[in-house]
C-alpha cells in the first residue's frame, strides 16, 4: 500500500465507528468583524487610522512621501515600471525599475502596487499578479505599497472573497517584527522596518 | 520538598532567571490576549465555539476534505505527497531536494518538522539547512530546542544570545536586542539569496481552494519563497479547514490568541508556484501531508486535540507551565496541549510520557482560552485513565493506590457496614493507620470528624 492509501484507510477506519458527526456550523460574516473600530467618515480614514495603530505609515500625497524618504535618507530605491511615471524626477532620489539582486542591500526603498487594503485592520493586500518583484516588496528597509482609494475594502472577509486564483496573496499589517529576545519588540527583522501605504485618488 | 513527578523536580530546580523569563512572558501574553479579544468582540466565546465546531466537523470528515484539498492543490499545479511517519517525511523531502538538484535550504518555523527531526536528517545527508525564524535560528546555533510553540526562546535571555552570536562569529559581544536582530537580518539575507529550497509548515489549509496559510510576524516565511526555486510545505493532515471563508475566522483568532495582535503581521495564502511574469519566487511547489500518528489520535477518544491551531494560549495561561517552563515536558509540544498531544504522538513510548497528563491542576483555564474550545481537562482525565489501565509506571508515582477504596465503593453491603463503623474512626488516631494510601493522604491533610450515618436511619423511619 502506498503512504497515501495507508493514510486514507487509517482515517476511514478511525471515523467509521463514530455514532454521529459534527455538522458544519452556520455563521454570519459579522461574527468576525472587529467591533472596536470606532466611527470613521470613510474607508480610507479608517484604513489610515488602523494602519498607524499597527505601526504603519499612511500617505495620500506623493510630495509628502518624497519629503519623508529624504528625511529617512532614502535616496535610492526600486520602483515598479508601471508606477515609475509618478516617481521619476524627484529631486535627490533615484529609482531603478529593474530589480537587481546584487543591489539588494543598496536599495533603501521598494515601490510596488498593492491590490487592496483592509480598513478594519490596516492591512495591505499584496497579490503576486500585481507585485512587480517579490523581493522589492520585502527586502528594502522601506516598502511603499501603492493603491487607489477605491481598492480599500471594509473587512478581512471581503478581502478573502477577492482572492481569485492568485497563487500568493499576502496580508501585510505593519512592519516586520519580533519579540523573540526577552519579549522586547523590534521592528524590521527580515522584511521592511517601515511599511508605507500610498493611497492615491482615482 | 519531596516531589514525585518529574515535572515538579524540573520546576523546583529551574534557574530562577529562566523561571522569571518563562513566567513573565506567559503572563504578559495572557493579558494581551484577553485585552485584544475583549476589546474587539462583544461575545468572543462565540468565535471560539464556531471555530471549534468547524475543526471538529473537518476532522470527522477528514477523508473527504483531504481528497478535496489534494485535487485542489493539483489543479493549482502543486505536487502533493503523503507520508505516514517521520522516516517517510524525511525521505520525501530529501528526494525532492535531490530531484531538483538542491543543496541549500532556508526553513521557516514548523512544529511538525521538530517532531520528525528533519533538520538533523538533512544535515546528515549533506544538505545545508538554516532556520530563519529569529528564535529558531538562535536555537539552531545553540543546538537547543524550542520551549514554547509560538515564542521558542522564551527561556533565554539576551546575554546568552549575545554569547552565542559571538561564538558563531556574528560580531563582538553585544546584548542589545536591536543589534542582535540586525545582525541576524544581515546574516540570513545572504542565506535566502543562496538557497535552492524554502521549506515551510502551514498554519491552515483550505480544502476548497488548495491554499496553505502561513502566519508570521518576522517575514521570514515570505523570504523562504522569494529567492529560491522550490517551495516545500510540510503539513499535518489536521490543518485542514473547509473553505477560504473559514480562514477569515481562524486568522482573526490565531493572532489575538497567540500574541494579542488583531492580525499577525503577515498572513500568506499560498496556492502554487509564482505567476508568469513574476521574476522572484518558486517555480515549483510541493505539499507533503504528514500523518505521524495523527490518524491514531483520530481513532482515540482524545481526537478533539487535533483541532489545535498551535496558538500557545493554553501554555501562557497554565499555572503549571508558568512554573516549569516548556522543556520540563520533555517533548516537542509543551503545556496543556502537549500534556495531551505528546503522549498520544509517542506511540509505544506512551508510558514514558504518561506522567504528563498529571501535570495539571484541572483548573480549566486552558479550555477557557482555547480558540478552538478544546476540552483539555477532560482529555487529560481520559489519558490519566488510559495510563492507569495500561499500568504505566510514571503515571502512578505519587498517587496512592485506591484499590481498597474502589472495592468498598462498589459493594453496597460492605459500604453500609463501613458506614455504621464510621463513628469509631473518631476515637482512633488515624495518622497511625498503617496503610500507605491513608498515610499519603494524611501527610498534607487532616481527616475531619465523622458525622455521617444518620441519613439511612432517618430515611428508614420516614413515613
Ligand atoms: S490547545 Fe488550544 S489554546 Fe492550546 S495551543 Fe492549541 S489551539 Fe491554542
Amino acid at each position: 500500500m502506498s503512504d497515501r492509501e495507508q493514510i486514507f484507510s487509517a482515517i476511514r477506519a478511525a471515523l467509521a465507528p463514530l455514532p454521529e458527526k459534527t455538522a458544519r456550523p452556520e455563521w454570519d460574516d459579522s461574527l468576525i468583524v472587529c467591533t472596536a473600530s470606532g466611527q470613521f467618515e470613510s474607508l480610507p480614514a479608517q484604513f489610515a487610522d488602523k494602519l498607524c495603530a499597527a505601526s504603519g505609515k499612511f500617505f495620500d500625497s506623493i510630495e509628502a512621501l518624497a519629503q519623508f524618504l529624504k528625511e529617512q535618507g532614502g535616496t535610492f530605491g526600486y520602483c515598479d515600471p508601471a508606477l515609475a511615471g509618478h516617481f521619476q524626477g524627484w529631486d535627490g532620489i533615484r529609482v531603478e525599475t529593474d530589480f537587481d539582486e546584487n543591489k539588494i542591500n543598496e536599495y533603501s526603498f521598494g515601490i510596488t502596487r498593492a491590490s487592496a487594503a483592509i480598513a478594519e485592520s490596516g492591512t495591505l493586500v499584496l497579490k503576486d499578479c500585481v507585485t512587480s518583484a517579490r523581493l522589492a516588496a520585502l527586502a528594502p528597509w522601506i516598502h511603499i505599497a501603492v493603491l487607489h482609494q477605491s481598492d480599500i475594502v471594509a473587512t478581512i472577509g471581503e478581502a478573502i472573497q477577492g482572492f481569485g486564483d492568485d497563487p500568493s496573496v499576502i496580508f501585510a499589517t505593519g512592519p516586520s517584527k519580533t519579540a523573540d529576545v526577552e519579549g522586547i519588540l523590534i521592528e524590521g527583522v527580515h522584511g521592511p522596518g517601515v511599511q508605507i501605504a500610498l493611497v492615491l485618488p482615482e | 520538598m519531596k516531589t514525585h513527578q518529574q515535572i515538579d523536580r524540573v520546576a523546583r530546580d529551574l534557574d530562577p532567571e529562566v523561571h522569571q523569563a518563562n513566567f513573565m512572558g506567559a503572563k504578559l501574553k495572557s493579558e494581551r490576549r484577553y485585552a485584544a479579544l475583549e476589546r474587539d468582540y462583544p461575545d468572543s466565546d462565540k468565535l471560539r465555539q464556531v471555530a471549534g465546531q468547524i475543526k471538529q466537523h473537518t476532522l470527522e470528515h477528514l477523508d473527504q476534505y483531504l481528497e478535496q484539498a489534494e485535487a485542489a492543490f493539483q489543479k493549482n499545479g502543486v505536487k502533493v505527497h503523503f507520508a505516514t511517519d517521520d522516516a517517510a517525511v524525511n525521505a520525501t523531502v530529501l528526494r525532492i531536494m535531490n530531484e531538483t538538484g538542491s543543496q541549500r535550504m532556508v526553513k521557516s518555523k514548523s512544529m511538525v518538522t521538530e517532531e520528525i527531526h528533519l533538520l538533523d536528517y538533512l544535515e546528515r545527508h549533506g544538505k545545508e539547512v538554516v532556520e530563519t525564524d529569529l528564535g529558531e535560528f538562535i536555537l539552531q546555533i545553540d543546538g537547543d530546542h524550542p520551549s514554547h510553540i509560538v515564542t521558542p526562546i522564551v527561556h533565554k535571555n539576551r546575554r546568552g544570545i549575545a554569547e552565542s552570536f559571538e561564538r558563531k562569529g556574528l560580531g563582538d559581544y553585544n546584548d542589545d536586542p536591536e543589534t542582535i536582530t540586525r545582525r541576524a537580518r544581515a546574516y540570513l539575507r545572504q542565506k535566502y539569496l543562496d538557497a535552492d529550497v524554502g521549506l515551510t509548515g502551514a498554519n491552515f489549509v483550505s480544502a476548497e481552494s488548495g491554499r496553505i496559510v502561513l502566519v508570521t510576524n518576522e517575514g521570514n516565511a515570505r523570504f523562504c519563497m522569494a529567492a529560491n526555486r522550490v517551495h516545500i510545505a510540510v503539513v499535518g493532515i489536521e490543518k485542514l479547514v473547509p473553505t477560504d471563508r473559514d480562514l477569515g475566522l481562524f486568522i482573526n483568532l490565531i493572532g489575538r490568541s497567540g500574541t494579542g495582535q488583531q492580525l499577525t503581521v503577515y498572513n500568506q495564502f499560498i496556492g502554487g508556484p509564482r505567476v508568469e511574469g513574476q521574476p522572484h519566487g518558486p517555480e515549483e511547489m510541493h505539499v507533503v501531508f504528514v500523518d505521524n500518528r495523527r490518524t491514531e489520535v483520530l481513532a482515540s477518544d482524545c481526537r478533539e486535540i487535533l483541532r489545535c491551531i498551535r496558538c500557545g494560549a493554553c501554555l501562557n495561561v497554565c499555572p503549571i507551565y508558568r512554573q516549569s517552563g516548556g522543556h520540563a515536558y520533555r517533548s516537542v509540544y509543551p503545556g496543556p496541549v502537549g500534556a495531551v498531544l505528546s503522549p498520544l504522538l509517542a506511540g509505544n513510548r506512551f508510558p514514558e510520557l504518561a506522567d504528563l497528563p498529571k501535570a495539571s491542576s484541572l483548573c480549566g483555564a486552558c479550555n477557557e482560552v482555547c480558540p478552538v474550545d478544546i476540552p483539555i481537562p477532560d482529555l487529560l482525565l481520559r489519558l490519566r485513565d488510559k495510563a492507569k489501565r495500561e499500568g504505566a509506571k510514571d503515571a502512578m508515582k505519587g498517587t496512592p493506590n485506591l484499590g481498597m477504596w474502589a472495592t468498598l465503593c462498589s459493594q453496597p453491603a460492605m459500604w453500609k457496614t463501613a458506614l455504621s463503623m464510621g463513628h469509631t474512626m473518631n476515637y482512633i488516631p488515624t495518622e497511625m493507620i498503617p496503610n500507605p494510601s491513608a498515610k499519603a493522604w494524611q501527610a498534607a491533610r487532616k481527616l475531619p470528624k465523622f458525622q455521617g450515618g444518620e441519613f439511612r436511619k432517618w430515611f428508614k423511619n420516614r413515613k
Side-chain angles (χ1 to χ4, degrees):
Chain A
M1 250 204 298
S2 70
D3 280 32
R4 183 186 183 282
E5 286 162 30
Q6 281 183 50
I7 291 175
F8 273 96
S9 65
I11 294 172
R12 292 194 179 111
L15 297 179
L18 292 187
E20 53 192 311
K21 293 189 176 180
T22 308
R24 221 174 124 193
E26 302 269 339
W27 55 280
D28 194 81
D29 289 339
S30 65
L31 176 73
I32 61 170
V33 177
C34 174
T35 54
S37 265
Q39 294 296 314
F40 297 93
E41 60 191 26
S42 66
L43 287 181
Q46 186 183 10
F47 170 67
D49 184 82
K50 300 295 158 194
L51 176 65
C52 294
S55 328
K57 295 206 169 2
F58 178 89
F59 286 91
D60 52 10
S61 123
I62 294 179
E63 291 69 38
L65 173 63
Q67 186 59 36
F68 173 81
L69 286 179
K70 273 188 226 164
E71 283 164 18
Q72 298 282 309
T75 54
F76 175 54
Y78 163 90
C79 181
D80 176 344
L83 296 169
H86 293 298
F87 304 100
Q88 269 156 354
W90 275 353
D91 188 27
I93 298 179
R94 202 158 54 84
V95 297
E96 280 186 356
T97 54
D98 259 332
F99 191 90
D100 182 352
E101 270 185 42
N102 296 316
K103 297 183 186 162
I104 194 162
N105 294 320
E106 291 164 41
Y107 296 123
S108 50
F109 60 89
I111 306 175
T112 65
R113 283 157 66 205
S115 53
I118 307 171
E120 72 165 321
S121 55
T123 301
L124 287 157
V125 181
L126 312 176
K127 279 189 180 180
D128 218 28
C129 62
V130 306
T131 304
S132 54
R134 284 190 191 185
L135 281 172
L138 181 60
W141 183 253
I142 302 172
H143 175 232
I144 299 147
V146 183
L147 67 153
H148 289 118
Q149 275 183 7
S150 58
D151 296 328
I152 301 175
V153 299
T155 64
I156 292 168
E158 276 174 69
I160 289 177
Q161 279 170 29
F163 278 177
D165 58 4
D166 199 284
S168 169
V169 185
I170 298 166
F171 286 1
T173 310
S176 147
K177 62 178 160 197
T178 186
D180 271 351
V181 180
E182 292 189 7
I184 296 160
L185 183 73
I186 306 287
E187 293 179 348
V189 190
H190 307 277
V194 178
Q195 179 66 62
I196 293 174
L198 174 65
V199 179
L200 301 173
E202 292 323 296
Chain B
M1 188 177 60
K2 186 166 171 254
T3 54
H4 298 280
Q5 300 287 327
Q6 284 199 53
I7 198 162
D8 292 336
R9 285 199 294 274
V10 178
R12 183 193 58 195
D13 301 338
L14 203 62
D15 176 346
E17 267 191 31
V18 176
H19 173 266
Q20 184 69 2
N22 287 333
F23 185 87
M24 292 313 290
K27 188 161 170 288
L28 195 70
K29 275 175 283 177
S30 276
E31 287 164 1
R32 288 211 184 114
R33 173 203 158 272
Y34 183 75
L37 279 161
E38 287 299 298
R39 176 195 65 204
D40 294 349
Y41 296 112
D43 183 8
S44 61
D45 269 350
K46 180 83 181 51
L47 275 80
R48 301 192 310 117
Q49 284 151 11
V50 172
Q53 284 162 17
I54 293 174
K55 284 293 262 187
Q56 189 70 18
H57 163 82
T58 315
L59 290 166
E60 291 175 6
H61 300 80
L62 191 57
D63 49 342
Q64 294 165 30
Y65 285 116
L66 193 55
E67 230 163 32
Q68 191 190 0
E70 180 189 24
F73 276 121
Q74 285 166 345
K75 192 167 146 276
N76 293 344
V78 178
K79 300 199 177 97
V80 182
H81 312 259
F82 290 88
T84 50
D85 59 9
D86 47 356
V89 189
N90 289 339
T92 304
V93 173
L94 182 64
R95 199 188 67 233
I96 297 169
M97 286 191 80
N98 285 335
E99 283 173 3
T100 54
S102 303
Q103 187 55 32
R104 285 180 282 254
M105 172 186 284
V106 279
K107 186 177 164 297
S108 165
K109 189 162 168 295
S110 144
M111 293 308 291
V112 65
T113 58
E114 298 280 339
E115 276 175 49
I116 60 172
H117 306 291
L118 176 70
L119 202 144
D120 295 344
Y121 174 87
L122 291 175
E123 284 181 345
R124 274 205 310 279
H125 286 80
K127 304 293 183 191
E128 183 193 308
V129 187
V130 183
E131 292 280 3
T132 61
D133 173 88
L134 179 61
E136 297 280 344
F137 172 68
I138 291 165
L139 293 174
Q140 187 183 19
I141 61 182
D142 278 358
D144 195 356
H145 292 283
S147 71
H148 188 288
I149 55 186
V150 174
T151 46
I153 55 164
V154 64
H155 62 289
K156 287 187 186 289
N157 62 32
R158 61 176 90 185
R159 290 184 300 284
I161 298 167
E163 281 159 18
S164 305
F165 269 46
E166 194 181 14
R167 209 174 45 237
K168 175 82 184 166
L170 296 175
D172 295 338
Y173 180 93
N174 188 323
D175 63 12
D176 167 36
E178 180 141 7
T179 307
I180 290 171
T181 310
R182 295 289 168 267
R183 284 177 174 175
R185 177 183 173 102
Y187 176 81
L188 288 169
R189 181 141 301 192
Q190 197 53 45
K191 296 290 175 190
Y192 294 124
L193 295 179
D194 294 343
D196 309 301
V197 175
L199 186 132
T200 69
N203 295 86
F204 309 102
V205 176
S206 160
E208 167 188 62
S209 64
R211 279 195 174 93
I212 65 167
V213 184
L214 291 162
V215 181
T216 71
N217 272 315
E218 298 183 4
N220 57 315
R222 287 180 68 187
F223 250 119
C224 287
M225 48 189 96
N228 41 289
R229 293 175 289 112
V230 182
H231 172 208
I232 305 174
V234 177
V235 185
I237 53 173
E238 82 283 16
K239 297 286 174 188
L240 289 168
V241 298
T243 64
D244 282 6
R245 181 171 177 267
D246 298 318
L247 299 175
L249 170 60
F250 284 99
I251 62 172
N252 267 299
L253 276 171
I254 199 169
R256 289 183 176 89
S257 303
T259 46
Q261 291 166 281
Q262 181 177 4
L263 278 184
T264 314
V265 175
Y266 301 118
N267 287 269
Q268 295 170 253
F269 305 84
I270 307 296
R274 71 187 191 205
V275 290
E276 231 180 273
Q278 170 60 252
H280 305 140
E283 294 146 24
E284 50 184 276
M285 174 175 174
H286 298 260
V287 169
V288 186
F289 278 117
V290 181
D291 181 347
N292 207 28
R293 300 194 189 282
R294 282 156 177 74
T295 51
E296 284 176 26
V297 182
L298 190 65
S300 77
D301 60 358
C302 293
R303 67 180 66 81
E304 291 94 334
I305 200 67
L306 293 175
R307 293 183 205 159
C308 173
I309 61 171
R310 312 278 190 265
C311 73
C314 60
L315 279 63
N316 301 333
V317 80
C318 177
I320 310 291
Y321 168 85
R322 286 183 179 187
Q323 296 304 329
S324 71
H327 286 158
Y329 293 79
R330 319 188 306 278
S331 42
V332 174
Y333 301 102
V337 57
V340 178
L341 195 55
S342 297
L344 287 169
L345 292 181
N348 55 16
R349 287 181 40 240
F350 174 79
E352 289 170 37
L353 296 176
D355 60 308
L356 291 182
K358 292 181 66 182
S360 167
S361 65
L362 302 178
C363 70
C366 47
N367 181 201
E368 236 166 65
V369 299
C370 176
V372 283
D373 201 20
I374 300 175
I376 296 177
D378 294 350
L379 304 185
L380 290 169
L381 287 177
R382 284 176 213 164
L383 283 178
R384 289 183 189 183
D385 182 53
K386 174 178 153 79
K388 276 266 178 186
R389 282 175 200 282
E390 295 179 10
K393 261 204 339 280
D394 281 342
M396 309 292 194
K397 281 189 197 141
T399 313
N401 189 338
L402 295 177
M404 249 168 67
W405 175 250
T407 319
L408 191 64
C409 292
S410 55
Q411 311 272 345
M414 257 169 90
W415 178 252
K416 223 169 111 186
T417 322
L419 271 188
S420 66
M421 290 173 17
H423 284 289
T424 52
M425 296 284 281
N426 292 340
Y427 301 104
I428 54 173
T430 44
E431 313 82 61
M432 313 262 302
I433 298 176
N435 174 312
S437 345
K439 274 215 160 98
W441 195 88
Q442 293 206 92
R445 305 169 184 85
K446 193 159 168 40
L447 191 68
K449 219 172 144 182
F450 183 82
Q451 297 177 326
E454 299 305 314
F455 177 77
R456 281 163 193 271
K457 221 191 283 166
W458 170 80
F459 194 72
K460 218 162 142 191
N461 297 332
R462 199 171 150 267
K463 294 275 156 7

